[in-house]
């Protein structure tokens, strides 16, 4: 039932709220400071398809559970600028001794340094990427296949195909919309 002030009573994640009658789930998400494309909604114990959030209106008595995803929805865990040098270890003294970074990873072509206690803050020095390309930055994601599918759906230029690399990552390179070359990577566990 709509209250005399034009609102309905609902519960969102266990908290009582009164909202304007006729409000859609997408509008409710926006009012809560959430991006509708980055949420999942359960309404009265049923999952609401994301594609319908703009049409489904909240009703008096609705019990809603809203989960929001962090990192663009693809679970980006880190964004790493890539620097290039003839020797990937060339910057070690600067990054470790001057900046106090830890050596997080070292292969024959790459050294990656990270801030102690904050592994999302990294920089890589690359001598010669096995792809033969020079990506401007790397983005670690939880689901590289999903990210690849979204890049293809947006008709972005895939510069290096989705590849399982011998050092335990699955990755692809894509040209971003401002001209940069992004290495999109998922670390695989054996």
């Amino acid at each position: 039932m709509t209250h005399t002030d034009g609102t309905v009573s609902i519960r969102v994640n266990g908290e009582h709220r009164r909202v304007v009658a006729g409000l859609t789930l997408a509008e409710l998400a926006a009012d809560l400071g959430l991006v509708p494309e980055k949420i999942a909604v359960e309404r009265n114990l049923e999952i609401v398809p994301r594609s319908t959030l703009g049409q489904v209106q909240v009703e008096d008595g609705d019990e809603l559970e809203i989960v929001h995803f962090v990192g663009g929805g693809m679970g980006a865990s880190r964004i790493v600028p890539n620097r290039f040098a003839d020797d990937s270890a060339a910057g070690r003294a600067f990054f470790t001794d001057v900046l106090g970074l830890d050596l997080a990873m070292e292969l024959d072509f790459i050294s990656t340094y990270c801030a102690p206690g904050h592994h999302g803050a990294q920089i890589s020095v690359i001598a010669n990427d096995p792809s033969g390309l020079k990506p401007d930055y790397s983005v670690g994601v939880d689901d590289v296949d999903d990210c690849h599918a979204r890049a293809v759906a947006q008709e972005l230029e895939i510069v290096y195909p989705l590849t399982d690399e011998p050092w335990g990552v699955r990755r692809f390179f894509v040209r971003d919309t401002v001209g940069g070359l992004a290495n999109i990577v998922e670390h695989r566990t054996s």
Side-chain angles (χ1 to χ4, degrees), residues 1-121:
M1 125 185 125
T2 302
H3 299 280
T4 56
D5 62 357
T7 63
V8 293
S9 294
I10 62 172
R11 291 186 78 72
V12 178
N13 296 343
E15 293 183 18
H16 177 265
R17 292 181 179 269
R18 285 179 67 164
V19 297
V20 176
L23 193 69
T24 67
L25 291 173
E27 292 166 334
L28 173 63
D31 287 351
L32 295 172
L34 303 172
V35 178
E37 294 80 16
K38 297 179 183 179
I39 65 169
V41 178
E42 179 187 87
R43 178 180 181 219
N44 303 323
L45 302 177
E46 292 187 23
I47 300 297
V48 179
R50 187 174 294 135
S51 61
T52 66
L53 295 179
Q55 293 83 41
V56 176
Q57 295 181 347
V58 295
E59 297 177 2
D60 192 60
D62 275 349
E63 296 275 343
L64 304 169
E65 291 293 326
I66 300 176
V67 177
H68 71 281
F69 302 99
V70 180
M74 68 177 172
S77 57
R78 61 189 174 93
I79 300 173
V80 182
N82 294 324
R83 303 286 305 179
F84 294 90
D86 291 334
D87 177 7
S88 64
R92 181 171 296 135
F94 174 73
F95 292 113
T96 60
D97 298 342
V98 175
L99 297 181
L101 301 179
D102 293 331
L103 179 63
M105 177 186 76
E106 187 169 45
L107 299 173
D108 60 344
F109 68 94
I110 185 172
S111 296
T112 300
Y113 304 90
C114 70
H118 187 63
H119 294 285

Side-chain angles (χ1 to χ4, degrees), residues 106-188:
E106 187 169 45
L107 299 173
D108 60 344
F109 68 94
I110 185 172
S111 296
T112 300
Y113 304 90
C114 70
H118 187 63
H119 294 285
Q122 299 181 356
I123 187 165
S124 291
V125 179
I126 302 172
N128 186 18
D129 190 284
S131 68
L133 301 168
K134 292 186 171 185
D136 298 302
Y137 58 97
S138 299
V139 180
V141 298
D142 293 335
D143 189 344
V144 72
D145 294 280
D146 178 59
C147 188
H148 181 267
R150 288 190 284 158
V152 169
Q154 291 189 24
E155 301 180 356
L156 297 175
E157 178 188 2
I158 305 299
V159 179
Y160 182 74
L162 195 56
T163 304
D164 289 308
E165 302 289 8
W167 58 89
V169 301
R170 183 167 171 82
R171 68 179 182 159
F172 71 98
F173 293 179
V174 60
R175 183 78 54 201
D176 68 26
T177 56
V178 294
L181 186 58
N183 171 28
I184 310 300
V185 59
E186 177 184 344
H187 288 267
R188 296 288 172 108

